[in-house]
């Protein structure tokens, strides 16, 4: 095999703006591996061949090969070169589909707040060395210097910014920038349609208050973000969990049946793109069917779109709001995951409930402070923001692949995993009988933070799942932590 000539592949596509040459070359060969042009066991071109064929330096050729090796796609053999290896993740089974025939039961969510609070308190009481329980990237992956300069510029140009009253509806420049960028998701709105919020969770709170009241039933995905469950409990609302596929999103058939069966659902809350915790992305046809169903039934649809700009590719998936013809969709978004978690900046556009939401915002929390809005607007209105998003998406894709490979290698054989096409989270299905609460406790004792699946539902049906964050660079320490998690799960299973 060592004497076989290097496989022939076509020239790489031109580099996108800001993408290092070694990454472009690595992605070129990764595509050949993923499509089968290069099969497991094939020898890669030598460093000299890469230099000659692609007119790159020695350093670039080596970086490309090492990048593919770190991702688990190549293995180095002494005195023989680099060879394509079969990633273990290629044989791991995907996360299973939900049982849509199981009876649905509206839950009061009494006690979910205590359960989530216990999880958060224990994590804070014994801060983990490696924390995989959140859903944000490492600080260094964001535009640290650019945001610092934008913040200084805002204060320099407006010295009384921090001592002046805040505009009730938010900074007009920020709302204009948000409205322009909403066009990327297919949403046509004006600055007057934008309500600035303290992150996406306040937007969801306002949306629910606008369309429902205590005692009402709200349809949610199952599993769903535990922060939404806390919000529902705090508002005294009942929740109806709708089976949700880890690949296609909420079951429209199950939702339609629930609407016909109960007849008192006051709203539907969904995350169509990179759902938390599943990571699934609805197809456009699925989103259109969902919007049309809610419109026919007269049920408001609340769309949480905090992650769509982290989806793979240069064009973000369309929002469900695109198919809204009557103002029945309340769209909520956030900059927490894509730009700056420390800003706590979100926004929403509320269709027929816009005026009511503006009044609720004023009544409960008043306006957001203006400095962060001006800072974000100055940066988001420049080409640098799109370059940041491209780099962030590319980095996260690598980190998801590397974590997926490590999980496939270190976790028990019956583990299931579906690596999403974007985002910062992985939803891992452990062998049945293995409790995520037990894994959480044992991992925390070992300095590793994870999110147990049990907090994403009022039932115990997701107790054998974990949500892991892949927003941290894949270092040797992270690899060791995943190896240790595999040992823990194996011991608990045994």
């Amino acid at each position: 095999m060592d004497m076989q000539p290097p496989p022939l592949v076509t020239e790489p596509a031109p580099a996108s703006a800001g993408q290092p040459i070694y990454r472009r070359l690595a992605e070129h060969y990764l595509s050949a591996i993923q499509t089968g042009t290069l099969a497991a066991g094939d020898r890669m071109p030598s460093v000299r061949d890469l230099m000659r064929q692609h007119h790159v330096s020695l350093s670039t050729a080596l970086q490309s090969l090492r990048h593919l090796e770190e991702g688990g796609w190549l293995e180095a053999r002494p005195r023989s070169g680099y060879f394509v290896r079969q990633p273990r993740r290629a044989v791991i089974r995907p996360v299973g589909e939900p049982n849509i025939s199981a009876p649905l039961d509206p839950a009061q969510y009494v006690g979910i707040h205590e359960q989530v609070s216990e999880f958060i308190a224990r994590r804070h009481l014994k801060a983990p060395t490696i924390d995989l329980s959140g859903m944000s990237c490492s600080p260094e992956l964001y535009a640290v210097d650019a945001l610092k300069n934008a913040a200084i510029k805002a204060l320099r140009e407006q010295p009384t910014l921090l001592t002046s009253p805040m505009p009730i509806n938010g900074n007009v420049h920020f709302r204009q920038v948000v409205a322009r960028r909403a066009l990327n998701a297919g949403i046509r709105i004006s600055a007057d349609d934008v309500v600035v919020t303290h992150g996406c969770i306040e937007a969801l709170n306002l949306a629910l208050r606008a369309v429902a009241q205590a005692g009402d039933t709200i349809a949610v995905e199952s599993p769903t973000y535990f922060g939404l469950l806390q919000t529902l409990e705090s508002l005294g609302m009942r929740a109806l969990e709708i089976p949700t596929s880890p690949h296609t999103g909420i079951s429209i058939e199950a939702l339609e049946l629930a609407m016909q069966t109960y007849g008192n659902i006051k709203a539907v809350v969904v995350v169509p793109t990179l759902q938390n915790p599943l990571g699934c992305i609805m197809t456009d046809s699925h989103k259109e069917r969902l919007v049309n169903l809610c419109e026919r039934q007269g049920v408001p649809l609340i769309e949480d779109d905090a992650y769509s700009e982290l989806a793979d590719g240069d064009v973000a998936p369309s929002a469900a709001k695109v198919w809204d013809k009557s103002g029945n969709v309340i769209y909520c978004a956030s900059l927490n995951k894509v730009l700056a978690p420390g800003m706590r900046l979100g926004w929403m556009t509320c269709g027929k409930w816009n005026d009511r939401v503006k009044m609720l915002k004023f009544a409960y929390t008043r306006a957001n402070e203006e400095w962060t809005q001006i800072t974000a607007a100055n940066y988001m209105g420049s080409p640098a923001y799109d370059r940041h998003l491209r780099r962030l998406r590319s980095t996260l894709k690598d980190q998801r692949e590397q974590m997926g490979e490590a999980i496939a290698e270190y976790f028990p054989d019956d583990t299931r995993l579906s690596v999403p096409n974007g985002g910062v989270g992985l939803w891992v299905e452990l062998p049945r009988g293995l409790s995520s609460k037990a894994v959480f406790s044992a991992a925390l004792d070992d300095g590793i933070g994870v999110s147990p699946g049990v907090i994403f539902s009022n039932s115990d049906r997701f107790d054998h799942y974990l949500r892991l964050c892949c927003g941290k660079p894949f270092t040797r320490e992270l690899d060791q932590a995943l190896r240790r998690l595999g040992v823990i799960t194996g011991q608990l299973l045994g």
Side-chain angles (χ1 to χ4, degrees):
M1 182 178 293
D2 291 355
M3 298 304 293
Q4 291 179 356
L8 296 176
V9 291
T10 57
E11 279 297 304
S16 60
Q19 186 182 40
I21 297 175
Y22 85 90
R23 288 290 298 272
R24 177 168 63 100
L25 188 59
E27 289 181 8
H28 172 61
Y29 281 96
L30 175 58
S31 176
I33 294 170
Q34 291 175 328
T35 57
T37 302
L38 294 174
D42 284 347
R43 185 175 126 185
M44 282 287 291
S46 68
V47 172
R48 291 184 181 277
D49 287 334
L50 290 176
M51 293 169 61
R52 185 179 65 256
Q53 291 174 13
H54 301 288
H55 309 290
V56 297
S57 66
L58 172 64
S59 173
T60 297
L62 283 171
Q63 278 185 292
S64 297
L65 291 169
R66 288 169 181 165
H67 182 73
L68 289 169
E69 182 184 20
E70 290 170 358
W73 299 100
L74 298 182
E75 61 177 339
R77 298 179 186 174
R79 297 184 298 278
S80 297
Y82 285 89
F83 290 79
V84 178
R85 67 183 290 246
Q86 179 69 54
R88 286 183 57 85
R89 193 172 64 76
V91 298
I92 194 171
R93 290 185 298 168
V95 174
E97 293 287 341
N99 178 12
I100 62 174
S101 64
L104 304 179
D105 178 29
Q108 290 284 2
Y109 282 97
V110 175
I112 190 69
H113 182 78
E114 286 79 3
Q115 185 165 247
V116 174
S117 295
E118 180 187 2
F119 153 70
I120 294 173
R122 289 184 61 192
R123 188 185 62 182
H124 288 173
L125 185 64
K126 190 172 185 179
T129 306
I130 298 289
D131 191 4
L132 305 177
S133 63
M135 283 289 276
S136 295
C137 302
S138 292
E140 64 270 20
L141 296 187
Y142 296 109
V144 178
D145 290 336
L147 288 173
K148 178 191 71 175
N149 294 335
I152 294 172
K153 179 175 182 286
L155 284 178
R156 186 182 297 120
E157 293 178 349
Q158 301 182 54
T160 61
L161 185 59
L162 298 179
T163 56
S164 300
M166 299 173 293
I168 292 177
N169 294 326
N171 177 264
V172 65
H173 184 207
F174 176 71
R175 289 187 286 114
Q176 289 169 343
V177 170
V178 162
R180 285 198 299 270
R181 291 202 64 88
L183 290 171
N184 296 339
I187 302 171
R188 293 193 297 270
I189 53 174
S190 70
D192 290 338
D193 297 320
V194 175
V195 179
V196 183
T197 64
H198 297 285
C200 210
I201 197 65
E202 186 191 23
L204 292 173
N205 265 276
L206 293 171
L208 287 165
R209 288 178 185 272
V211 302
Q213 56 188 352
D216 285 341
T217 298
I218 309 297
V220 302
E221 298 157 312
S222 184
T224 192
Y225 172 47
F226 60 80
L228 174 60
L229 303 185
Q230 289 177 295
T231 296
L232 290 169
E233 181 176 353
S234 69
L235 295 176
M237 296 178 185
R238 296 161 59 85
L240 184 64
E241 293 191 28
I242 306 298
T244 302
S245 165
H247 310 290
T248 59
I250 193 168
S251 169
I252 295 178
E253 292 76 16
L255 177 60
E256 185 170 17
L257 179 61
M259 288 178 172
Q260 295 169 354
T261 302
Y262 292 96
N264 62 345
I265 295 175
K266 297 301 183 182
V268 178
V269 182
V270 295
V271 185
T273 301
L274 296 172
Q275 194 263 3
N276 182 9
L278 295 174
C280 54
I281 299 177
M282 288 187 194
T283 63
D284 285 352
S285 60
H286 200 93
K287 284 177 278 195
E288 184 177 14
R289 288 177 58 205
L290 175 62
V291 171
N292 290 340
L293 171 63
C294 291
E295 172 67 25
R296 288 196 311 271
Q297 297 291 335
V299 178
L301 177 63
I302 301 173
E303 178 178 10
D304 178 348
D305 195 24
Y307 299 96
S308 63
E309 288 198 298
L310 297 182
D312 291 344
D314 292 330
V315 180
S318 297
K321 179 73 175 173
V322 171
W323 288 274
D324 181 21
K325 307 303 182 200
S326 64
N328 192 54
V329 177
I330 300 178
Y331 177 86
C332 307
S334 170
L335 301 178
N336 292 350
K337 311 303 180 186
V338 300
L339 180 61
M343 285 185 173
R344 293 301 304 169
L345 260 182
W347 65 276
M348 58 195 301
T349 185
C350 311
K352 63 180 72 172
W353 294 280
N354 222 45
D355 290 340
R356 175 165 173 75
V357 167
K358 286 180 180 179
M359 187 53 65
L360 287 168
K361 166 69 176 172
F362 180 78
Y364 285 105
T365 61
R366 298 298 195 269
N368 287 49
E369 58 87 16
E370 199 173 5
W371 186 19
T372 54
Q373 296 178 59
I374 296 174
T375 299
N378 288 339
Y379 182 62
M380 293 171 65
S382 72
Y385 182 51
D386 283 312
R387 291 196 295 270
H388 156 70
L389 289 176
R390 285 195 292 270
R391 286 193 299 269
L392 185 58
R393 286 193 291 262
S394 178
T395 300
L396 289 176
K397 182 177 181 179
D398 286 343
Q399 292 172 186
R400 287 192 306 274
E401 293 287 348
Q402 290 171 315
M403 281 192 64
E405 177 68 8
I407 290 168
E409 183 172 355
Y410 301 144
F411 278 48
D413 288 341
D414 287 340
T415 300
R416 294 182 173 217
L417 173 67
S418 298
V419 176
N421 294 320
V424 293
L426 295 177
W427 185 240
V428 183
E429 183 177 358
L430 303 172
R432 287 196 175 272
L434 184 54
S435 170
S436 64
K437 289 180 285 188
V439 175
F440 165 75
S441 296
L444 194 59
D445 289 340
D446 220 0
I448 306 168
V450 300
S451 290
V454 72
I455 65 174
F456 297 94
S457 170
N458 194 48
S459 71
D460 288 332
R461 69 172 65 96
F462 299 106
D463 190 28
H464 63 296
Y465 290 79
L466 295 177
R467 191 195 68 183
L468 301 178
C469 176
C470 51
K472 299 180 181 299
F474 194 84
T475 60
R476 181 172 180 271
E477 290 74 21
L478 178 53
D479 182 74
Q480 290 177 334
L482 291 170
R483 182 190 294 269
R484 182 59 190 155
L485 264 182
V487 172
I488 290 171
T489 55
Q491 290 174 339
L492 290 173
L493 188 64

